[in-house]
């Protein structure tokens, strides 16, 4: 699934509605001050690069307690602790929003930073220094952080290229015609001091969306993957790990037909969203080439697993899916997972999933690698909406509608001085 970059429409509409309402109120008389009466635990507003100031209400413990919490659970000595993170935006805005997301989670540690190289032209896939620099800076601030970089295998990656053209391009790649682009990328990552980047190469190859899809010629695809990995590993100083990540299920072709071999794969990932409509989590586990097949396949090949993309989708605000997926990852210990956080998938930048947002925040609030309480798929208590504090004295609340107040994080009130 492609990362979304154009999700500002609803937010702009909310801004416009609030501005119109405020303008109308201003026209009714002289105003001495404007304030927002915020709920005790508001959803995060549109993120900005400014790190928020911690307030008691924002850092209050969640309402729903963790099931079977065990603060003493720790990662065994010598074993790499699982990392979790979130995809918030591909460019520098994604980095700027990570501290805000962590703040929303009560300071929970985001060790995985996830972004995507654009796939429009080869110069994008080579990774410009301007694009990568901010991510490299974030990665290098702490030694235990992990940079996860999705890398397309072809240009024009989302332009609906025909199967015949994809087949021709795969065969060109298998013959080495595109090696130099990936050498440039590897050299830039090493120069930026992120030689241990996790490369999610040619993701969701079992589908039909991307020009790097496998279906038109699986054998050529596997040879091409191997050439790319060999080329990038040839760059001095590199320590890359390559993540083979199909989408869950059969899709256009069984993803096992695209597996290029243990020598060039370090991690076996899976992108798994709550879809199709009506499919239960248990079915997602048991379906052909589903979650259980993924875990079993990785174990048979001696590889760790990952979930570079996961989230809500076709079944709406499904808190039981959220609980079950978190419990599944707690049980199977992926090397890392990154939630996709934009509508309809997310829980922070998307206000359409309040129940799932509440569950996710309750499960991960304040979490670090030194305290990882297990989760069990038990029924989700219905969240109690936070109470809104009364407006300040001499401040008249405006009724802007629930969806505008959701965006504002409370009611807008105006104080009128009539004397």
């Amino acid at each position: 699934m492609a990362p979304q970059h154009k999700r500002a429409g609803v937010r702009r509409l909310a801004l416009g509605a609030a501005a119109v309402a405020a303008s109308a109120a201003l026209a009714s008389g002289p105003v001495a001050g404007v304030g927002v009466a915020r709920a005790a635990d508001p959803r995060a507003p549109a993120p900005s690069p400014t790190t928020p100031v911690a307030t008691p209400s924002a850092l209050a413990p969640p309402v729903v307690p963790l099931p079977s919490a065990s603060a003493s659970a720790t990662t065994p000595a010598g074993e790499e602790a699982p990392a979790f993170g979130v995809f918030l935006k591909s460019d520098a805005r994604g980095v700027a929003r990570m501290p805000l997301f962590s703040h929303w989670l009560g300071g929970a540690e985001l060790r995985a930073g996830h972004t995507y190289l654009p796939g429009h032209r080869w110069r994008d896939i080579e990774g410009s220094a301007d694009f990568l620099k901010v991510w490299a800076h974030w990665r290098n601030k702490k030694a235990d952080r992990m940079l996860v970089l999705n890398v397309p295998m072809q240009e024009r990656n989302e332009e609906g290229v025909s199967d015949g053209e994809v087949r021709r391009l795969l065969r060109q790649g298998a013959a080495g015609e595109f090696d130099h682009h990936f050498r440039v990328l590897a050299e830039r990552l090493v120069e930026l001091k992120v030689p241990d980047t996790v490369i999610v190469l040619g993701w969701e190859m079992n589908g039909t969306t991307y020009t790097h899809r496998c279906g038109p010629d699986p054998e050529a695809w596997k040879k091409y993957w191997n050439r790319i990995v060999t080329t990038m590993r040839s760059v001095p100083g590199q320590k890359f790990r390559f993540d083979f990540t199909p989408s869950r299920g059969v899709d256009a072709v069984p993803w096992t037909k695209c597996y290029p071999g243990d020598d060039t794969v370090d991690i076996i990932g899976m992108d798994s969203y709550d879809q199709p409509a009506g499919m239960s989590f248990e079915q997602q586990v048991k379906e052909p080439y589903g979650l259980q097949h993924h875990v079993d396949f990785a174990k048979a090949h001696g590889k760790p697993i990952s979930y570079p993309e996961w989230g809500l989708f076709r079944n709406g605000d499904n808190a039981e899916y959220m609980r079950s997926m978190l419990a599944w990852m707690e049980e199977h210990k992926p090397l890392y997972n990154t939630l996709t956080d934009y509508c309809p998938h997310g829980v922070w930048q998307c206000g359409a999933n309040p129940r799932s947002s509440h569950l996710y925040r309750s499960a991960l609030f304040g979490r670090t690698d030194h305290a990882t309480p297990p989760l069990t798929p038990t029924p989700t208590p219905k969240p109690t909406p936070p109470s809104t504090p009364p407006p300040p004295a001499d401040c008249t609340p405006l009724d802007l509608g629930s969806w505008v107040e959701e965006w504002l994080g409370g009611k807008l009130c105006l104080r009128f001085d009539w004397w």
Side-chain angles (χ1 to χ4, degrees):
M1 185 172 297
Q4 259 296 349
H5 302 288
K6 297 180 181 178
R7 294 288 176 183
V10 173
R11 191 171 292 127
R12 285 196 298 268
L13 188 58
L15 279 169
V20 169
S23 297
L26 290 170
S28 64
V31 179
V34 180
V36 177
R38 296 192 179 277
D41 185 16
R43 281 189 50 79
S48 67
T50 304
T51 303
V53 177
T55 61
S57 61
L59 295 178
V63 176
V64 178
L66 281 170
S68 305
S70 173
S72 63
T74 57
T75 302
E79 182 179 327
E80 186 172 7
F84 80 95
V86 60
F87 172 73
L88 297 165
K89 199 73 173 175
S90 289
D91 57 20
R93 288 169 290 182
V95 177
R97 292 170 185 177
M98 288 176 71
L100 303 179
F101 190 88
S102 177
H103 176 81
W104 178 70
L105 287 180
E109 187 176 5
L110 304 181
R111 286 183 47 232
H114 188 192
T115 190
Y116 299 71
L117 287 177
H120 308 300
R121 294 294 178 263
W122 280 116
R123 64 178 176 271
D124 301 318
I125 299 171
E126 290 175 352
S128 73
D130 288 341
F131 181 92
L132 292 171
K133 189 178 298 182
V134 65
W135 288 99
H137 179 71
W138 173 86
R139 159 65 185 90
N140 288 320
K141 275 189 172 182
K142 287 190 176 181
D144 64 347
R145 285 178 173 174
M146 176 187 301
L147 176 58
V148 179
L149 181 65
N150 277 48
V151 177
M153 294 168 69
Q154 295 285 357
E155 64 175 355
R156 297 182 292 152
N157 200 36
E158 297 182 53
E159 295 183 15
V161 177
S162 69
D163 280 355
E165 178 69 359
V166 167
R167 187 179 299 109
R168 184 182 69 82
L169 291 169
L170 290 175
R171 291 174 181 176
Q172 286 181 281
E177 293 190 28
F178 308 129
D179 288 359
H180 58 289
H181 298 298
F182 296 96
R183 184 174 295 107
V184 170
L185 172 60
E187 290 170 348
R188 284 180 173 166
L189 290 170
V190 171
E191 287 170 4
L192 289 169
K193 296 182 172 54
V194 282
D196 57 352
T197 298
V198 174
I199 307 291
V200 186
L201 181 63
W203 70 100
E204 298 183 12
M205 77 299 294
N206 56 326
T208 59
T209 300
Y210 301 111
T211 305
H212 63 223
R213 61 187 180 271
C214 166
D217 194 335
E219 292 306 312
W221 192 92
K222 289 186 282 189
K223 290 178 182 177
Y224 184 27
W225 165 287
N226 289 333
R227 284 203 70 100
I228 293 171
V229 173
T230 300
T231 297
M232 294 187 72
R233 283 180 175 171
S234 71
V235 172
Q238 67 79 35
K239 301 175 185 176
F240 304 125
R241 287 182 284 184
F242 290 88
D243 191 331
F244 171 83
T245 298
S247 55
R248 197 196 74 241
V250 175
D251 214 328
V253 60
W255 50 262
T256 52
K257 290 187 176 181
C258 308
Y259 186 69
D262 292 345
D263 289 344
T264 56
V265 172
D266 300 297
I267 306 161
I268 298 177
M270 178 163 280
D271 288 351
S272 185
Y273 291 90
D274 186 22
Q275 63 174 339
M279 178 177 274
S280 69
F281 185 80
E282 183 178 4
Q283 290 172 307
Q284 295 177 27
V285 170
K286 295 181 178 179
E287 68 173 326
Y289 305 99
L291 291 171
Q292 189 63 57
H293 193 162
H294 169 230
V295 169
D296 293 343
F297 186 87
K299 184 176 181 180
H301 290 263
K303 306 294 181 182
I305 62 170
S306 70
Y307 297 100
E309 292 184 29
W310 70 278
L312 304 161
F313 199 6
R314 302 292 186 186
N315 294 296
D317 183 13
N318 187 352
E320 187 55 40
Y321 163 82
M322 182 63 64
R323 179 181 292 275
S324 297
M325 189 64 184
L326 287 170
W328 177 265
M329 291 188 290
E330 193 68 47
E331 177 183 357
H332 294 286
K333 298 292 189 291
L335 182 67
Y336 70 92
N337 80 81
T338 50
L339 176 76
T340 300
D341 193 72
Y342 56 79
C343 281
H345 315 299
V347 295
W348 183 61
Q349 295 183 119
C350 180
N353 302 312
R355 293 174 62 248
S356 300
S357 173
H358 186 81
L359 189 286
Y360 181 90
R361 185 169 185 248
S362 297
L364 297 176
F365 192 89
R367 180 166 173 159
T368 71
D369 291 333
H370 304 293
T372 54
L375 293 169
T376 55
T378 56
T380 306
K382 185 176 181 181
T384 303
S387 59
T388 302
D394 303 321
C395 190
T396 303
L398 294 177
D399 185 6
L400 303 178
S402 59
W403 64 280
V404 175
E405 290 166 2
E406 165 75 13
W407 181 88
L408 289 172
K411 288 182 176 294
L412 183 73
C413 66
L414 303 178
R415 188 171 66 251
F416 295 87
D417 291 334
W418 296 101
W419 57 87

